[in-house]
Amino acid sequence: MLKIGDFSKLSRVSIRMLRYYDDIGLLKPAETDPYTAYRYYSENQLPAVSRITALKDMGFGLSAIGEMLAGDNDKETLMRRLRLKQAELLELQEQTAYRLRLLETALERLRKDDQAMKYDVTLKTFPTRYAATVRMTIPSYGEEGVLWSTLMSETARMNLIPDEPCYCCAVFHDKEFKETDVDVEVQKTVKGHYPDTEHVIFRTLPEVTVAAAICRGSYSQMGDINAAVARWVSDNGYVYDGPMFNIYHVSPHETSDPNEFVTEVCYPVKKK
């Protein structure tokens, strides 16, 4: 038998933690002296404490570890729980990477001159134009690519002739920001006339006047750009007049580098 101090050195787990494991029933001593209450451990318990430490390092809580080390857990059950933790950590990794990118963007913008933080808002009018359009309710804004894939696949054999200029837009029809089930329409302006397909509708888009601002780089700037447009609309006596849309001049289709994106943010407006 090993005294608790010796077992602590061999297991690389503190005496305080070993006592806590005992209190919660996770790892009981092999023997406890009824008179002195000294705890004694067996060398055979070292593999068990090693498994506890390994599972803790993987991110499991002590309660879950106790369940996993219970005698009725078979190999398949343990593998399933490990895979679930793996998926959870991968999702956390993606979220952390995204937050780090946001932080880096914010730091980079703070390093630049204040003038670089300003966005010029202009009033412009788009004339009537003919476009291939796909409108669907999708799970989230991040799934917009599904609409573009549908448009491209269903028109692949039509040899569409892009308009000059060719506007590739996404229109956001919901009257509020939504976390799920978003109503989005994508549009690509083209020359000529073509038959509709299952999901692609060809139609003439009406003339529209917009307050527009250019976003150069990551979409993380959209909040500031929207604020700049809102100030311009208020200061110049306009009101909103339809769903906002983005024109993708340089999109993820052309580059995988967010710093190279060029997006024109457009809010339809009219005079009060």
Side-chain angles (χ1 to χ4, degrees):
M1 288 293 169
L2 297 168
K3 294 181 179 179
I4 191 170
D6 294 329
F7 189 77
S8 171
K9 292 177 183 178
L10 290 168
S11 65
R12 301 181 65 84
V13 175
S14 69
I15 291 176
R16 180 189 63 81
M17 189 58 69
L18 288 172
R19 288 171 175 162
Y20 183 63
Y21 290 170
D22 181 12
D23 291 341
I24 65 175
L26 182 61
L27 183 70
K28 306 293 288 184
E31 291 182 9
T32 301
D33 189 300
Y35 300 105
T36 64
Y38 289 167
R39 296 171 173 87
Y40 295 92
Y41 292 84
S42 166
E43 292 86 347
N44 294 333
Q45 291 180 287
L46 287 170
V49 77
S50 293
R51 285 194 294 272
I52 293 171
T53 299
L55 291 169
K56 277 183 64 181
D57 290 343
M58 293 176 199
F60 289 98
L62 295 181
S63 176
I65 291 173
E67 295 174 4
M68 295 174 71
L69 296 183
D72 58 350
N73 271 290
D74 57 26
K75 181 178 179 180
E76 287 301 318
T77 300
L78 290 173
M79 288 185 67
R80 185 171 64 253
R81 298 193 70 152
L82 290 174
R83 290 193 185 104
L84 286 172
K85 175 58 70 173
Q86 182 183 48
E88 177 187 322
L89 291 174
L90 285 171
E91 182 179 357
L92 179 61
Q93 181 184 41
E94 292 178 1
Q95 293 174 352
T96 301
Y98 172 69
R99 289 168 179 163
L100 285 171
R101 288 196 299 271
L102 292 179
L103 284 167
E104 181 56 35
T105 298
L107 288 168
E108 180 62 26
R109 291 173 62 202
L110 286 171
R111 284 192 286 264
K112 293 179 180 178
D113 185 78
D114 286 343
Q115 285 298 117
M117 302 280 288
K118 295 180 181 178
Y119 301 97
D120 293 326
V121 180
T122 59
L123 186 70
K124 59 169 51 179
T125 298
F126 294 100
T128 57
R129 56 231 182 267
Y130 186 68
T133 70
V134 177
R135 180 174 176 177
M136 293 181 186
T137 298
I138 54 178
S140 67
Y141 297 107
E143 301 294 319
E144 184 185 315
V146 172
L147 303 180
W148 291 110
S149 295
T150 300
L151 189 154
M152 300 309 293
S153 63
E154 293 190 11
T155 62
R157 297 182 180 181
M158 293 185 181
N159 296 317
L160 298 181
I161 302 174
D163 199 5
E164 297 176 1
C166 179
Y167 295 118
C168 291
C169 309
V171 184
F172 304 95
H173 287 283
D174 292 305
K175 295 182 179 180
E176 62 178 325
F177 177 86
K178 296 178 66 178
E179 295 182 351
T180 58
D181 299 327
V182 295
D183 184 0
V184 180
E185 177 183 5
V186 297
Q187 304 170 344
K188 179 179 180 178
T189 57
V190 295
K191 290 181 178 180
H193 287 81
Y194 307 87
D196 295 342
T197 67
E198 181 181 0
H199 299 99
V200 181
I201 305 298
F202 290 89
R203 62 191 180 92
T204 299
L205 305 175
E207 178 181 282
V208 60
T209 297
V210 302
I214 297 291
C215 171
R216 300 184 187 278
S218 167
Y219 298 142
S220 63
Q221 304 172 67
M222 287 299 186
D224 291 337
I225 290 176
N226 288 339
V229 173
R231 286 193 299 271
W232 186 94
V233 170
S234 176
D235 292 345
N236 290 275
Y238 283 84
V239 292
Y240 300 105
D241 189 34
M244 70 85 62
F245 58 93
N246 291 332
I247 302 175
Y248 301 117
H249 296 290
V250 181
S251 72
H253 180 70
E254 287 82 31
T255 177
S256 60
D257 184 357
N259 293 318
E260 297 177 356
F261 295 168
V262 180
T263 310
E264 191 167 6
V265 180
C266 300
Y267 280 85
V269 292
K270 63 181 180 181
K271 270 292 187 179
K272 288 183 180 178

